[in-house]
Amino acid sequence: MDAPAKRRHQPGGAHPTRRKVVEEPFHPAAPTPAAAAAAAPPSRLVGAIVEKGFTAAAPSSAPRPSVLPFPVARHRSHGPHWGPVAKDAGKDGDGEEDDEMDTDETDYQQVAVAAAGPVRRKEKKGMDFSRWREFVGDAPPKRQQGKPTQAKKHSELKIDAGAVTLSVGAASARVRELEGGAMHIDSGNAREGPGAAISVSDVVSKKPMNQAESRVELVKPGEVRNSASQGERMELDGGESSMEAEINAENMARLAGMSAGEIAEAQADIINKMNPALVEVLRRRGREKSGGTKGVGMDKGTENSGPQKAKRATPGDWLMAGEHSGRSWKAWSERVERIRSCRFTLDGDVLGFQSSQGQQDGKKTHAENVAERDFLRTEGDPAAVGYTINEAVALTRSMVPGQRVLALQLLASILNRALQSLHKMDLLDNVKEMDFNDKFHDWQSVWAYALGPEPELVLSLRMALDDNHDSVVLSCAKVINAMLSFEFNESYFESSERVVDHGKDICTAPVFRSKPDLDGGFLEGGFWKYNTKPSNILLQYGDNDEDEGDEKHTIQDDVVVSGQDVAAGFIRMGILPRICFLLEMDPPPVLEDYLVSILVALARHSPQSADAILNCPRLIQSVTKLLSKQGSMEIRASQIKGVTLLKVLSKYNRQTCLNFVNRGVFQQAMWHWYRKAGTLEDWVRSGKEQCKLSSAMMVEQLRFWRSCISYGFCVTHFADLFPVLCLWLSPPNKKLSEHNVLVEFSSVARESYIVLGALAQRLPLLHSVEQLAKQDVAVSASRYMEIWSWSHVVPMVDLALSWLRLNDIPYVCSLISSQNRNTKHMLEVSYLILVIASVLGMLNSILERISADATYDGKSYSLPWIPDFVPKIGLGIIGNGFFSISGTVAFGNLDHQTFCSTSLVQGLCYMRCHGNVDVSLSSISCLQRLMQLSWSVDRVIQGATKSCSEHLNESKTGAAGKLLGEGISSLWHDDLLHLLTSLLPMISSQWSILQNIEVFGRGGPAPGVGFGWGACGGGFWSLKCLLAQLDSQLVLELFKNFSSAPGGPVTLNNGVNSDNVTNTAVKASDRISSSLRVSLIAGPGQISMMEKAFDILFGPSILKYLKSSIHKFASHMALAKPFEWDITEDEYLLFSSVLNSHFRSRWLSIKKKHSDKYAGNNNSTNVPKIPETLETIQEETELTEAVNEPRSTLVVEWAHQRLPLPVHWILSAICCIDDPKGILSTSANYILDVSRAGLIFLFGLEAISAAPCLHAPVIWKMHALSVSIRSSMDLLQEDRSRDIFHALQELYGQHLDIVCQKYYISHSVKEDDNVGMANLEEGKEISRLEILRFHEKIHGSYTTFVESLVEQFAAVSYGDAIFGRQVAIYLHRMVEPAVRLAAWNALSNAYVLELLPPLDKCIGNMEGYLEPLEDDEKILESYAKSWTSGVLDKAAQRDSMAYTLVKHHLSGFVFQCSASGKTLRYKVVKLLLRCYAQKRHHEAMLKSFVLQGIAQDPERSSNELDQRFEILKDACEMNSSLLAEVQRLKASLGQ
């Protein structure tokens, strides 16, 4: 055995002396620091090896029992250690008082403090620069003389135990830095305790003085220099060096050795070499730092010290869509990072902000730090200091179950409080009014931080769910439930299913926009993508993954996924098998409810999440058992949510729904409906609470049944379920109101009629040949879908007609009367209105199967007969006060003449305008169903034969029958006009709010689900957004009705004169603007609404109106020549077709993806094989066409589509010509036609001042014009397109001049305090949106686009004036320096500067290109290079704007700028003079350069010219040849 090995195996190890020190027995009393230092060898103090868990100076007092009954744990990995004493113990005599208070000899607390420290992990340390001076060998300079030292009592510097391992030189350097101040070395726990601190002065006394220390004068222990730069206390982590302090000391010493003149000269030299703007920024930052350090350390106990000093970032800083600037992202980051130090009470309220530097730097919080002041071991107020989110997460891993429960309850309180605050916030209204000084309101940042990657909350919750204590598991389930925002998401889906009959659920997975690319013209509004890839949700293990599994899939990967998507993180971490196990163990009802809620929230996430739930073994079986394990007498909340889970899963895939039906899951879920039917009296007598539970259960069961019916399944169950269903189909009686269960009854009745409406969709066409031959068709074998029979329809219609008698329905009759309207019973009225809406929707579905708009072959036909209930429906609408009827109409024997003056439509309008969001949703839903039913009745009656119409007129219906034969449309014109005029202002205010939801291209700032995306007010998941979409649908329906009515109110064929018609319902310009606003509101799944808007916008009549508006608008513009072109009828049809086709393919297309294979749970089911239909069998084909096709899915994903659209979506028609990959169409003529039509449409929108078009920033419009000519000049070769292109340039130039003027005013406001703040805010808005910041607003690689545009200009333009104007806009002073530099270099390198037009022919005013003077050095150097290389010679001859630009900016820089750019100015002058010496033909150019900007006054011009020549001479720096050239130039000017 070699020597080193022998030493290692010796009792003392490699260093027996140090081992001996550790093993010394305890002394009777703790020695004083001086004595301890004197007796201890140097090896004990510096670099000693200390045993883990024991300190080198353990106390010697006898063990005493602790006053605590049990040890307080801190962290699981640290074991059951005792907690330390308070940090302030031993100061100001507190330690002596504590010793006197506890005199029990069995107190082990002090022994545990020093002898039971936790085992610390090794920390990875970087390079240690603390001994850099030893390697350099330089002696430290003399310190600068500062203020006299002042004795500061108890001023100490704490150094961690790792600092003891530093070299003696580094330790002495720290002593020099504090000049002998007493420093206490921690014992290893970073805490102060008895016998655990050693004075640094004692350390130094045991070490010989070296050269560095010989120059330092040590003061007495306990005294320290009072330096504001170092603060009162400093904490140095173990092993960290004070290199910055060393460098600062050296710099200060060097400054001390310099005179005042030398310092001033050095400062001037440094400033001259720097950019003046950078100098100003550094000075301002220095002033802010100096102002921010005032009072630091004076009051460390205050809550808001530290973070409160920084500038506050208001929530409005990030709310603008499309804002990609670093400023807004920085503001949002500061808001979120500020939450790191935020402390919360146990109720979730904000207590304040801590000033701990460790928390601000993002260091991990350990549970033992929290346990120091945990409520289990403190007296008085247990949670007075509060907890940060990181501390609460750390406490979830405590050894004590009570602490874990406390931490989880605190997290649940914080998350619930954040969700409630977000729910109360409006989308944009209240954000600007927030006052951070009065109360903490930034719960949006709290939510984003809690769900962010730093706390790793998902990992902690997943570990807590595996806990052995039921209370911990229950608390963890509550936190997960809040983290998935279950209640708020379900509230949104509940409202959505109430008001939308056949709507699709939307997946809640967090998404973000794909980045814009050049192929799409850099336009925003790309496809949505999931935050995390769907493949990351479930891990796919192969055959050989057993050995490499640990390397491939780690916990860190799970944490990364959870930081992108919390729901995906939970599933990836295996939460589903754990929930399945807990459900199988018969959990308590509360825990069972939370677990099923978590499953519902995860199922709504995405198809992949639903697939994971379906494929989890025994999970669906466990949920199904919950539905019937308690019998038929008791209903539990978990059972209701279990049915909801089955409904959500069935909506994703038709095959999944079929599996549920074949396995009997549907029958188990609907077990309430197979019981013996009771009466409503029995249901009312069961009690209010039981009525609520049974109502909620039946509503979810009916929705589950409706989902199956939409797929074509479970239609035959109608006969079995009808006995119970018929109880809810009649209008309510007074007993329901008396027992306060009318709302519950209305909910079940509403869903019952919605189910009947879904069944009506399964009816075959009434007059189809197959229906006449086979009256009792039940199942179509070819597609395995069930068909409802017409024999069941008539009884359902008779029950539905009873709901049309509004006078018999409580609370609704008061709504019709304008005198009795009040908001007292608005809740009951809204629920009853929803029932009426569902009844109207069911009747409309039946009428659609009588007379469809078109048959399967695309041809309409005349109905041979119509059922008797069709006139009854029409008469019910006419005679029951749905619409107001003119008093001149005679009604014969009708009983409801009292409803002639007022109507239900007016009452619904009142509800929409004066009710809350829920009431407004109910009213809009009813209005939409009423419109659809009225038009369906007219279509069916008008589609009947002539004999049928005559029979209707000759019936006993009298005048009402005659009105019915003429059409109901003649009755409600006034009501619908009033409705439309009230909805249009609402639409105009809603679209702008919804456009501000997206944050940095994301749906929300947090990776939550649905409402948990974290947008204000819920963002896209708010009821306001749903209401705006319903309003938009109704407006489009009204537009369609008015345009299709005979003798419609809007006549567009007469051009502009159509706006002056007296009987118009709405102007054509208002229709266009409203349709554009509607297009900005539509969300996922509303493609049909967008198609209706496109049909209105791009109709031939609208294009004719826009063409007339263009000619009228152009006549008022100062254009070079008037528009003399016209558009033919064929071109109108062509443009209408290509525009509609382009915008549908560009914005409404769904991105193709790989088909999701539902493995395992779906494919394992033995589904009976269904024979495929042969195309030659005509009978089966006709049958399938006569029946509505079943849907394949009832869910819409946010991903893979583009809605909602950006505000500049209309510009894509112009940008589509730049399509090198042919992603839109392979036909070049088609693309050219789209661009030509797009120019006409865009200019027409500008001519009528369409609101959304005006709100699109000028920068996007300028960019679109550039994109249209980047690849081809075909657009400019047609006279009509060329004229419109030139007119748009002129128009946008005027807009740009206005924007620049406002921008200059805003900058002058900053200098003048007397100007109002309104101009300043307006200037900020202009600066943020409208300035030509192409690189910032459009794309980060915009310089590449500009270079390609210049290449196209040089290659094919041949000096085209319009093309040159478009290229010259990138030399505007409002354009970013990087883009201007790229454009100039590309033009200069291509030698096409002379092709640019004169400055007065460019877009906008000349001042925009010339002012302010250029201050970018790179651009100035590029200007000078172009001058000297001869590129500008032809430009000067042709009077190109390039020469004027260079001459103006270079002359201004040389003769008018300050002394800041002295070096560059001299360089530019020398280059110009040398070029002048070599090229004599540059004499005229240089003369013009010198004379640029000189006044015409001879006296003033002579003096100024002399000054300029003096500047030129100074720049020559005594160079004789250059001075001679200056003299020759001066002589040529006659000087």
Side-chain angles (χ1 to χ4, degrees), residues 507 530 603 605-612 652 1153 1156 1158 1195 1197:
C507 295
Y530 287 117
H605 176 266
S606 63
Q608 289 73 25
S609 300
D611 191 21
Y652 277 99
K1153 57 178 181 178
D1156 297 331
Y1158 284 73
V1195 174
E1197 297 182 66

Side-chain angles (χ1 to χ4, degrees), residues 654 707-715 762 784-787 1190:
R654 188 171 186 265
S707 301
C708 298
I709 293 173
S710 300
Y711 288 128
F713 308 135
C714 303
V715 177
R762 298 291 98 208
Y784 193 74
M785 66 178 176
E786 303 171 4
I787 302 174

Side-chain angles (χ1 to χ4, degrees), residues 131-152:
R131 301 177 60 187
W132 68 277
R133 193 174 298 279
E134 297 181 9
F135 299 102
V136 176
D138 296 335
K142 296 182 180 180
R143 295 184 57 86
Q144 182 184 6
Q145 298 297 329
K147 298 181 180 180
T149 59
Q150 299 177 359
K152 197 154 187 78

Side-chain angles (χ1 to χ4, degrees), residues 285-313:
R285 184 182 301 176
R287 290 193 297 267
E288 292 176 357
K289 287 185 176 180
S290 61
T293 55
K294 294 180 181 179
V296 174
M298 293 183 180
D299 188 7
K300 288 184 174 293
T302 56
E303 298 174 352
N304 297 331
S305 62
Q308 295 290 342
K309 298 295 183 181
K311 181 181 179 182
R312 298 188 184 277

Side-chain angles (χ1 to χ4, degrees), residues 797-1052:
V797 173
D798 293 338
L799 290 172
L801 289 176
S802 62
W803 283 89
L804 299 184
R805 293 189 287 269
L806 302 179
N807 196 29
D808 299 337
I809 303 177
Y811 304 117
V812 177
C813 56
S814 61
L815 179 65
I816 299 177
S817 177
S818 59
Q819 290 81 11
N820 299 328
R821 290 173 185 169
N822 55 64
T823 58
K824 182 178 180 180
H825 300 286
M826 193 63 73
L827 177 63
E828 291 82 359
V829 172
S830 64
Y831 273 84
L832 291 172
I833 288 298
L834 284 176
V835 179
I836 297 175
S838 62
V839 171
L840 298 176
M842 187 268 288
L843 295 175
N844 180 63
S845 299
I846 295 175
L847 295 182
E848 286 179 352
R849 305 310 298 163
I850 296 177
S851 173
D853 292 336
T855 57
Y856 59 91
D857 56 356
K859 300 179 181 179
S860 60
Y861 55 89
S862 178
L863 300 177
W865 55 274
I866 57 176
D868 294 337
F869 59 78
V870 176
K872 293 181 181 180
I873 296 174
L875 294 176
I877 295 176
I878 294 175
N880 288 285
F882 282 88
F883 300 101
S884 60
I885 303 174
S886 175
T888 59
V889 180
F891 284 91
N893 297 326
L894 289 181
D895 298 332
H896 303 284
Q897 298 181 10
T898 56
F899 298 147
C900 294
S901 58
T902 58
S903 64
L904 179 64
V905 173
Q906 296 178 1
L908 294 176
C909 293
Y910 176 83
M911 291 177 61
R912 173 62 185 90
C913 298
H914 300 87
N916 56 20
V917 178
D918 294 325
V919 174
S920 300
L921 286 172
S922 304
S923 61
I924 289 297
S925 177
C926 188
L927 285 170
Q928 190 171 4
R929 304 297 175 269
L930 181 58
M931 301 303 105
Q932 294 173 353
L933 179 60
S934 301
W935 299 328
S936 297
V937 170
D938 288 345
R939 185 179 65 251
V940 171
I941 293 179
Q942 293 172 4
T945 59
K946 182 178 180 181
S947 59
C948 180
S949 301
E950 293 176 354
H951 174 73
L952 180 63
N953 295 333
E954 295 174 357
S955 62
K956 297 181 181 180
T957 55
K962 294 181 180 179
L963 290 176
L964 189 60
E966 296 175 358
I968 308 179
S969 304
S970 60
L971 304 178
W972 39 253
H973 179 272
D974 295 338
D975 283 338
L976 295 189
L977 179 59
H978 172 70
L979 173 62
L980 185 59
T981 53
S982 61
L983 285 177
L984 291 182
M986 299 177 185
I987 296 294
S988 62
S989 61
Q990 288 169 340
W991 75 268
S992 59
I993 296 177
L994 296 179
Q995 283 293 311
N996 294 324
I997 296 177
E998 294 185 36
V999 183
F1000 304 110
R1002 294 182 177 269
V1009 291
F1011 190 89
W1013 290 2
C1016 293
F1020 296 120
W1021 300 97
S1022 65
L1023 295 183
K1024 286 188 175 181
C1025 182
L1026 180 61
L1027 178 60
Q1029 293 171 354
L1030 288 180
D1031 290 342
S1032 302
Q1033 293 178 2
L1034 183 56
V1035 167
L1036 291 179
E1037 292 287 345
L1038 294 175
F1039 282 159
K1040 180 181 178 181
N1041 173 72
F1042 283 132
S1043 61
S1044 61
V1050 178
T1051 304
L1052 299 175

Side-chain angles (χ1 to χ4, degrees), residues 403-437:
Q403 284 186 333
R404 302 199 293 272
V405 173
L406 168 75
L408 292 170
Q409 290 178 350
L410 173 60
L411 290 172
S413 301
I414 295 173
L415 294 178
N416 284 324
R417 182 64 184 278
L419 286 172
Q420 293 171 4
S421 300
L422 286 176
H423 183 66
K424 293 178 182 178
M425 294 170 60
D426 293 333
L427 291 179
L428 194 62
D429 299 338
N430 298 334
V431 174
K432 296 181 179 179
E433 300 176 1
M434 288 184 178
D435 186 6
F436 283 81
N437 296 324

